[in-house]
Amino acid sequence: MKHTLSVLVEDKPGALSRITNLFARRGYNIDSLAVGQTEREGVSRVTLRVDCAEHSLEQITKQIYKLVNVLKLTELTPDDAVEREIALFTVAAPPERRGELMAFADHYGARVSDLGPKEIVFEMVGHPEDLDSFEELVRPYGIKEMVRTGRIGLSRAVRH
Amino acid sequence: MTRMTGADAIIRSLEAEGVDVCFGVPGGMIIDTYDALYRAQANGSKLRHVLARHEQGAGHMAEGYARASGKVGVAIATSGPGATNLITAIADAWMDSTPLVCITGQVPSTKIGTDAFQETNATGITLPIVKHSWLVQKASDIPATIKAAFHVAQTGRSGPVLVDITKDAQVAELDFKYPDHVDLPGWNPPRKVNQRQIISAARAILEADKPVIYAGGGVINGEASAELLELAELTGIPVVTTLTGKGGFPDSHPLNVGHPGMHGMKYANMALNRADLVIAIGARFDDRVTGNVSAFAPNARVIHFEVDAAEIGKIREVQIPICAPLQPALAKLLGELRKQIPEGREGPAEWISKIAEWKDEFPLRYELGDLLKPQQVLEAVRDATAGRDDIIWATGVGQHQMWAMQYMVCDRPRSFITSGGLGTMGFGVPAAVGAKAARPDATVICIDGDGCFQMTSKELTTATLHGLPIIVVLIRNGYLGMVRQWQEMFYDERYSQTDLTGPIPDYAKMAEAFGAVAMTVTDSSELDAALERAIAENAAGRSVVVDAVCDSQEKVFPMIPPGASAADILEYGSHEKVKEFEAR
Ligand SMILES: Cc1ncc(C[n+]2csc(CCOP(=O)(O)OP(=O)(O)O)c2C)c(N)n1
Ligand SMILES: [Mg+2]
């Protein structure tokens, strides 16, 4: 099963490899990984998406929690988190099919970030699953290149 | 604040941590630190350094020191091969939760990443086997880093840390002030004990009919032996101790039911197997203890006292987890039990007498023969030291180690030092030297195998030159015996690459070359006199090797075949049953 972990770490060399090593040594692949600054100086947030068994995940999260540079760890669950990702797609776009592509893009809120005679570079920010859907939709047209940042997320705003 | 070099600061920091002995081997990238040590010693510093003959030896010495004393062991090495030679000891300390601070030199910061002479990425290579590591590239970072290193090594579940310090950081100057606190916001090992869990544990303990305490090395590391003893006596609950937990509860106590596991006593395994409550204390359900996990203590509820949250529920589901330092946790449990225990309550008498029957029915046994039997040698060693409270045992890894576990009597914590989790051949001699450095008053006896001895015997030189005399009882069975045993039992007697027999090496000559007294014993009639002399020579300051030439065919029993469960345990002389077992 897929899980999203959000880990606050001190900005120290090796902090990231200590975390990823705990997955690698058990033979788990990391689907996506995003690291960036937070509201606190010297503290980064690592957002990891992994496909691993529940029991292993529990073991790995306990091990992550023990790392000296790790300040906090939470699992982001779909209901309780806002999740976003950015993707760029270079899609083959002969003039006769551009109209359809633009309609899809419009529907999904993707933007054209560059344009050539034979292809369009779309940029899309959204929920990772919406990115997946858009990707599926344009795939038959020919995705020449694609890149995704990996998902990031935060807990939902406090309601009360 | 005093102006000094980074190298001086390393030495000053070690002194500030109260280190009295450290172990190591110098080299180009740590030479400045050794120079600082030399100057400090010339100025009257009490910090002692033991020059090992191999960095692995230095690491195991630091482990032996830590395990015998309860203090942090310190090992020092140069970059590159010095650091890589330390790795086995770091891995060993990691597996057995031995607190270690390893200091390695590193190439100058300007050369890092260039494949400079003797550059290896020490923090990278050791990443999965340390609690934490630091690469220090600035002299001014040295004091705080060493302070943090000692703190991390010994708080929570103890274990090894590495401080890799570049040459330029050792050479540059700083204003030295040793910090009085650490700044590690992410390091928060458990400190409190959850009282509600303690109450549940006490209730479960009083409700159980067939409870067993399963005590591991954590009892010793967590300094909880006294509380464990009180717990057993207060409740009348029998105790099994693991290999690394040996001595955490007195072996000769009437409630001691021996050691569980692959080569543990049959009665210990039976007790665990039939228990309705297992109280695990600082133990981690290692596969060498549980055998087939699904058949391990199948009818038992489990209470797990453990300082490392990641161990709880890792292997076996736990009904009552208590994640806390063991000493205060057990102290709280004792308090709660005293409140809950009804006046005049007796222990689980029926259960105890059942276990006593098993003890009678399935004692450890072996048969004498024409040749010396390893068990016979160990019994003689045990008898020669009976009643003494100043003996520390160290062992190698293999059959002799299992026999040492079975036959030696340890009534005190920190008196049995062995490589449990990693099973590192060659651990024994250097660990014994380190233990002697920690406890010069003790008589340190290493039970070693001929295979193991050949890996690290050179550290006898260190023992001789540094006034750290030890006794080695060499169980010379002419084989990598433990592997041979598996080949005999499970590989149709194809003895692939396990034969060590032949005229060389001459163990007695080796021992003498290292400055030790050597005695070769081939007959049981010579044993007692040889041991008596060994102990006397050792008391007079000499290392001694008792080279006991033993039967190579002898196998360790009982044995739970790999992958089997306690119910399938094979007793002495019953190894034909392996075939039956395999046929199933
Ligand atoms: C460093 C290392 N290499 C290999 C092994 C595998 N191994 C386990 S026990 C053993 C044999 C040990 O031989 P010896 O020291 O003679 O002890 P014995 O079993 O004969 O008592 C071996 C090779 C190991 N545990 N450690
Ligand atoms: Mg041998």
Side-chain angles (χ1 to χ4, degrees), chain A residues 10 12-14 17-19 21-22 25-26 40 55 58-59 62-63 65-72, chain B residues 94 123 127-128 130-134 152 157 183-188 308-315:
Chain A
E10 289 182 282
K12 294 274 165 76
S17 45
R18 286 177 213 275
I19 295 172
N21 172 62
L22 292 169
R25 75 171 282 198
R26 293 172 172 82
R40 285 163 63 185
H55 185 74
E58 187 188 328
Q59 182 51 214
K62 284 173 171 177
Q63 298 287 4
Y65 192 72
K66 269 175 22 186
L67 294 173
V68 168
N69 296 142
V70 169
L71 303 172
K72 194 173 171 215
Chain B
W94 172 251
T123 52
L127 185 119
V130 292
K131 291 178 80 176
H132 197 60
S133 53
W134 293 262
V152 171
R157 177 179 180 174
D183 180 24
L184 295 169
W187 180 244
N188 302 302
D308 179 359
E311 286 301 339
I312 296 179
K314 182 178 83 173
I315 304 288

Side-chain angles (χ1 to χ4, degrees), chain B residues 296-331:
Chain B
F296 176 75
N299 305 316
R301 303 179 72 205
V302 177
I303 304 175
H304 197 173
F305 287 86
E306 172 58 55
V307 70
D308 179 359
E311 286 301 339
I312 296 179
K314 182 178 83 173
I315 304 288
R316 167 70 186 244
E317 201 191 324
V318 171
Q319 281 69 41
I320 306 175
I322 296 168
C323 185
L326 299 183
Q327 193 275 336
L330 292 188

Side-chain angles (χ1 to χ4, degrees), chain B residues 56 88 374 396-403 419 422-427 448-455 474-485 497-498 500 507 552 554 556:
Chain B
Q56 181 188 353
T88 301
V397 166
Q399 292 182 309
H400 62 279
Q401 174 191 31
M402 295 295 101
W403 284 313
S419 169
L422 197 66
T424 309
M425 278 177 73
F427 176 82
D448 217 3
D450 38 3
C452 289
F453 187 73
Q454 290 190 63
M455 288 196 179
L474 182 65
I475 303 297
R476 199 222 292 189
N477 56 4
Y479 273 89
L480 297 170
M482 184 55 92
V483 183
R484 185 199 173 283
Q485 173 164 352
Q497 306 298 315
T498 44
L500 303 175
Y507 294 95
S552 61
E554 193 64 17
V556 187

